Every structure is written in C-alpha cells, then in structure tokens.
Amino acid sequence: MAKKETLNPNRARRYTDEFRDRAVNMYRDSLKSGVNLYGLRPRIARELGIADVTLRDWILKADAKDKTTGSLNQDEAQRLIRELQKQIADLARDNDILTTAAAFFARELDPRTR
C-alpha cells in the first residue's frame, strides 16, 4: 500500500527574501496611507496566506535591521545636513531679494506717490 503524503502543519514553510520584503513593505505602506490600523497586520497576513506571527516576526527583524544598518551612515548624514543648511541660506537670501523687489514695485505702482 502506497504511503500517502500529507501536509504537516507543524513543518515550517520557506519563503523567499523577496516575498518577505514585499510583505513588510505592504505593511509599512498601509501604515503610511492611514488606513484603519485596527487589525492591520492580521488582515495583511491573511491576504498573503501567512500566519500573523510570521508577518510580525518579519516586521520586527526588518525594523531591527533598519536600526542597525541605518539608511545613512554618519558621514553621509553630516554631508546632507551641510547641503540642506546651504539650501536654507540660499532660499533665505532669495526671499530677501524678492521681498525688496516686491516693496519696490509696490511703491512704483502706488498711485498716491505720483
């Protein structure tokens, strides 16, 4: 008699890294979009056909990885801060020029000063 192969519910399924990343991104995007947060993670897990705790574990691992690797290293962050400070100074200077020009043209167009 041939042995029938049955699915073992206790056996862990393997998911690709791409699938895990997409699941975590789906959860994060839903958080950003402002959808109803109540039951969000279980709802997404159900849509993907995975257990809620599995998605939770993937999210926690991704968050921990993001914290350890960070999106920018210290040098890049400092460079970005300097660049943004320069842009702020340039915009402040431009704003001063435009304010002065607006005042000048307002005086020129004012019929009371003629």
Side-chain angles (χ1 to χ4, degrees):
M1 186 168 169
K3 188 174 180 183
K4 212 170 153 183
E5 187 174 325
T6 59
L7 293 176
N8 183 353
N10 296 327
R11 185 174 156 218
R13 286 197 274 172
R14 301 284 178 195
Y15 298 99
T16 64
D17 290 338
E18 180 185 355
F19 181 79
R20 290 179 185 157
D21 292 341
R22 287 177 50 205
V24 171
N25 289 335
M26 184 180 197
Y27 174 77
R28 288 177 175 170
D29 291 344
S30 295
L31 284 178
K32 291 177 188 174
S33 69
V35 297
N36 182 8
L37 299 180
Y38 181 76
L40 176 64
R41 193 182 64 226
R43 187 171 54 239
I44 291 174
R46 238 186 341 270
E47 288 176 20
L48 296 173
I50 59 175
D52 176 33
V53 293
T54 302
L55 181 57
R56 182 200 62 203
D57 291 344
W58 293 349
I59 293 167
L60 291 174
K61 286 178 184 176
D63 289 345
K65 181 181 175 187
D66 290 347
K67 286 180 184 174
T68 58
T69 59
S71 58
L72 296 174
N73 66 32
Q74 203 64 9
D75 294 334
E76 290 174 338
Q78 290 299 322
R79 182 191 53 76
L80 180 60
I81 289 171
R82 283 191 304 274
E83 183 179 311
L84 291 173
Q85 288 172 335
K86 183 181 180 301
Q87 286 179 359
I88 290 170
D90 290 344
L91 290 171
R93 188 188 68 242
D94 293 348
N95 193 31
D96 289 341
I97 292 170
L98 290 172
T99 302
T100 304
F104 172 78
F105 287 116
R107 279 192 310 272
E108 287 291 316
L109 297 174
D110 189 6
R112 293 176 289 173
T113 59
R114 289 186 183 184

